[in-house]
Amino acid sequence: MQIIQTVLALALTLGILVTLHEYGHFWVARRCGVKVLRFSVGFGKPLFSWYDRHGTEFAIAAIPLGGYVKMLDEREGPVPEELRDQAFTSKPPSQRIAIAAAGPIANFLFAIFAYWLLSVVGVTHVAPIVGDVAVNSVASNSGLQEGMEIHAIDGHRVSSWRDVNMRILERAGEQGLITLDVSSSGARGTLSGELGGWSLSDETPNPLGEFGITPWRPDVPAILGQIADGGRAQAAGLQSGDRVIAVNGEPVGNWFELVDIVRNAPEQSLDLTIERAGAERSVRITPAEKVQDNGETMGFVGVGVQPVSWPDSVMREVRYGPLAAIPIALDETWADTRLTLVAIKKMITGLLSPSNLSGPITIARVAEASVSSGFEDFVRFLAYLSVSLGILNLLPVPVLDGGHIVYYTIEAIRKKPVSDAVQELGLRIGMAMILTLMVFALYNDLMRL
């Protein structure tokens, strides 16, 4: 069931973004008088298709990992004389550049719209208030302390932990100072510290943790919430509302301590001291063994935590009017763009490990998680992935939109097209580069399983 949900989430995510990207090409091509033969979402054999009044076939294909717009093109076969003026190759370089650029531009416009929508609808964030600070980390060397709220990083406003993650990711692998605007007990101030080449883990990147920050969270008592049917907890007689006081005679301070104990004891007998209706009693339970995605085993008893509400003092509602939301949306989109460009640059220069590159498996898992998390997380994920898709397609690599734009720009300057031999060579090089990148990203995905 989990695999089906993940595949559906991937199909939904890529379906939305690919449709937007290809519609950009399609819309501008139509305005430039180019005859569009097929608009396909997905590759391979069409599952179903239909035609519009212009004779364009719209298709949903079997492999949901991309899509394409097929236009009338003299390079792909003879074009009837009466249709030659509708061929893509008959259009001037300026129009071909516009058609090629329209797909990535559609991705950026979608991101702007998505962030504008979230700003107008309004979202509520947990304020970025620091919990624990790791010793000898960048965070501790900067002077961050428990209870401080972060308001800006390097001069850029932050209002949520997502914002903090984005800003510190930009500084991964760098030397120099990082500055943080913070407040504590009502007093505002600025902290700074040396990055010292701080970088992400190759295996399971955790920007906040590796920077040295654990976000503040309210105390979560070890009180059982939902009890799963057929689980070890139900079999042992545990009930919703039971409070675990001790395990094997050792006091349990909170829910997270209890989780750690259970996780580290697969198929090991545990003696729980619980409080129920004001009375203490003992319960023996043996956690079941569960294999995680990375192959490690963990204990599992089938209980959930009793919901804990966050205090109003740490919640921040962010909402703007329709006009005020426009610059906010532009700033969010630019932040995503900058982060993606910085990441590409750092991978090329070696400041960021290529092992952080992700492929379809990671995208599918993140998509499934964001869909499950709710509307805001899914829209933010779509916006960021849309920006990444737009930037990737604008890279000056043959096969990609950016490569075609380079060819058409050269043609506009030289007043004659790039030779077929050069384009053929570029096509082979571009295909090799893209396939290598895809294989490497897929390898990284598999290593994370």
Side-chain angles (χ1 to χ4, degrees):
M1 187 64 181
Q2 182 70 32
I3 294 177
I4 294 176
Q5 290 178 344
T6 302
V7 171
L8 290 176
L10 175 65
L12 175 63
T13 300
L14 293 185
I16 292 172
L17 297 183
V18 167
T19 300
L20 289 166
H21 180 91
E22 298 304 331
Y23 184 77
H25 293 309
F26 169 81
W27 190 84
V28 175
R30 279 274 181 89
R31 268 68 194 163
C32 291
V34 175
K35 183 174 180 59
V36 179
L37 303 178
R38 174 182 286 178
F39 185 128
S40 178
V41 177
F43 296 113
K45 184 178 180 180
L47 299 176
F48 57 91
S49 62
W50 66 97
Y51 291 84
D52 69 358
R53 62 187 179 86
H54 299 285
T56 300
E57 179 188 11
F58 293 85
I60 306 295
I63 305 174
L65 295 178
Y68 61 91
V69 170
K70 183 178 180 180
M71 293 170 271
L72 191 65
D73 194 317
E74 293 175 296
R75 296 169 298 183
E76 297 183 5
V79 173
E81 184 65 34
E82 65 274 15
L83 296 178
R84 188 161 295 172
D85 65 331
Q86 298 181 47
F88 176 78
T89 43
S90 71
K91 302 302 176 181
S94 59
Q95 291 189 1
R96 280 178 278 151
I97 290 173
I99 294 170
I105 290 174
N107 288 125
F108 289 112
L109 290 177
F110 169 75
I112 293 170
F113 170 75
Y115 286 128
W116 176 86
L117 178 64
L118 290 177
S119 297
V120 171
V121 171
V123 293
T124 301
H125 300 297
V126 174
I129 298 175
V130 178
D132 292 333
V133 178
V135 179
N136 295 326
S137 63
V138 177
S140 65
N141 294 337
S142 300
L144 275 176
Q145 297 178 12
E146 181 180 354
M148 288 183 172
E149 180 175 350
I150 304 173
H151 298 280
I153 297 177
D154 293 330
H156 299 287
R157 177 186 58 85
V158 296
S159 60
S160 67
W161 282 116
R162 176 187 180 274
D163 294 341
V164 174
N165 260 308
M166 297 283 281
R167 294 303 177 185
I168 65 175
L169 272 172
E170 289 185 26
R171 303 300 307 275
E174 294 183 12
Q175 303 288 339
L177 289 175
I178 185 169
T179 61
L180 305 103
D181 295 339
V182 301
S183 66
S184 180
S185 301
R188 294 286 291 261
T190 300
L191 305 175
S192 63
E194 287 285 347
L195 288 167
W198 166 78
S199 61
L200 299 176
S201 164
D202 290 348
E203 298 298 326
T204 54
N206 175 16
L208 282 178
E210 291 162 18
F211 192 78
I213 299 174
T214 299
W216 180 89
R217 57 192 177 195
D219 183 49
V220 182
I223 300 177
L224 308 185
Q226 184 177 4
I227 307 295
D229 292 336
R232 298 285 176 92
Q234 185 184 61
L238 291 171
Q239 300 177 10
S240 178
D242 288 348
R243 180 170 189 152
V244 179
I245 300 172
V247 178
N248 295 337
E250 296 293 328
V252 174
N254 55 50
W255 172 261
F256 304 105
E257 288 183 17
L258 176 62
V259 169
D260 287 340
I261 293 170
V262 171
R263 282 176 174 267
N264 293 325
E267 298 301 338
Q268 298 177 32
S269 180
L270 300 175
D271 291 320
L272 308 184
T273 302
I274 66 170
E275 181 183 277
R276 180 187 299 169
E280 291 187 10
R281 62 182 67 193
S282 297
V283 174
R284 177 164 291 183
I285 189 170
T286 301
E289 184 177 275
K290 183 178 182 180
V291 180
Q292 296 176 280
D293 290 341
N294 60 8
E296 296 181 4
T297 59
M298 56 173 272
F300 180 76
V301 296
V303 298
V305 63
Q306 190 174 77
V308 175
S309 61
W310 289 75
D312 292 340
S313 60
V314 303
M315 305 305 294
R316 303 287 183 270
E317 184 179 12
V318 181
R319 187 192 303 270
Y320 298 91
L323 293 179
I326 294 174
I328 300 299
L330 292 172
D331 185 60
E332 292 269 17
T333 303
W334 171 239
D336 288 353
T337 302
R338 184 176 57 245
L339 177 60
T340 304
L341 291 173
V342 167
I344 293 173
K345 175 185 175 182
K346 288 182 178 179
M347 284 187 185
I348 293 173
T349 59
L351 288 177
L352 192 61
S353 172
S355 62
N356 290 296
L357 188 67
S358 298
I361 296 176
T362 297
I363 292 173
R365 295 172 67 180
V366 175
E368 195 275 332
S370 64
V371 169
S372 302
S373 297
F375 175 75
E376 180 194 346
D377 286 340
F378 184 54
V379 171
R380 286 189 180 279
F381 174 67
L382 280 177
Y384 179 73
L385 199 58
S386 188
V387 169
S388 298
L389 181 63
I391 292 173
L392 175 65
N393 274 278
L394 284 175
L395 294 178
V397 177
V399 178
L400 299 178
D401 295 327
H404 294 307
I405 292 173
V406 170
Y407 284 150
Y408 305 147
T409 301
I410 293 174
E411 179 180 345
I413 295 172
R414 298 174 66 236
K415 306 301 181 184
K416 63 178 181 179
V418 177
S419 69
D420 291 341
V422 171
Q423 292 193 46
E424 179 68 23
L425 177 61
L427 177 64
R428 293 181 180 180
I429 294 174
M431 285 293 294
M433 292 175 64
I434 296 300
L435 287 175
T436 300
L437 192 65
M438 290 176 63
V439 169
F440 188 72
L442 184 59
Y443 171 80
N444 286 343
D445 283 353
L446 295 174
M447 289 299 99
R448 296 188 184 109
L449 293 178

